[in-house]
Amino acid sequence: MSDTKKAEEKRKKEILVVGEMIRLYCRKNHGAGELCPQCLELFEYAKARAEHCPFMETKTFCSNCRVHCYKPQMREKIKEVMRFSGPRMLLCHPGMAVWHVVCSIRERNDAERKKKKE
């Protein structure tokens, strides 16, 4: 699989994960069946950031990125969503949650190995 194709797959997966986390947050905090306007705005913002990310080939998730492209206000909102939804994803979407943790650990270990080589 080409690097471009891999990056696109990662991009789609990241958008899927963040979308599920925002939906879970919204459902539990705002009681909405569909995303409320604020959560929809956050999802669209996160999706746009992922779609235009120039580092997708070398990172797994925004939290592991060396450049944080979210505006401060949106960054605080997504952190709130992640703190709330992260632990609950194990119950609602266990496969997705485990995949996310494994990828994050793998990426951090790879980054540490690179630093040691330099």
Side-chain angles (χ1 to χ4, degrees), residues 51-96:
E51 287 174 342
H52 297 97
C53 179
F55 304 109
M56 193 57 70
E57 290 180 23
T58 58
K59 68 149 184 109
T60 51
F61 306 105
C62 294
S63 59
N64 296 338
C65 192
R66 63 180 180 261
V67 176
H68 294 291
C69 62
Y70 279 50
K71 293 177 188 173
Q73 181 183 5
M74 296 304 258
R75 189 161 183 214
E76 287 307 310
K77 285 182 183 181
I78 200 70
K79 280 182 174 181
E80 181 181 336
V81 167
M82 298 295 162
R83 272 189 233 112
F84 178 87
S85 296
R88 290 164 178 84
M89 289 290 283
L90 278 171
L91 298 173
C92 299
H93 301 286
M96 198 178 283

Side-chain angles (χ1 to χ4, degrees), residues 7-72:
E8 280 310 307
E9 289 301 314
K10 285 169 64 174
R11 194 179 312 274
K12 286 179 188 175
K13 188 77 169 189
E14 183 168 323
I15 292 168
L16 178 68
V17 171
V18 77
E20 288 303 319
M21 293 181 92
I22 293 170
R23 277 187 275 288
L24 176 61
Y25 176 86
C26 189
R27 189 171 58 247
K28 300 288 186 181
N29 289 281
H30 304 143
E34 296 294 317
L35 290 178
C36 71
Q38 296 93 339
C39 290
L40 180 59
E41 177 186 16
L42 180 60
F43 174 68
E44 292 298 329
Y45 184 84
K47 183 178 172 187
R49 298 286 108 200
E51 287 174 342
H52 297 97
C53 179
F55 304 109
M56 193 57 70
E57 290 180 23
T58 58
K59 68 149 184 109
T60 51
F61 306 105
C62 294
S63 59
N64 296 338
C65 192
R66 63 180 180 261
V67 176
H68 294 291
C69 62
Y70 279 50
K71 293 177 188 173

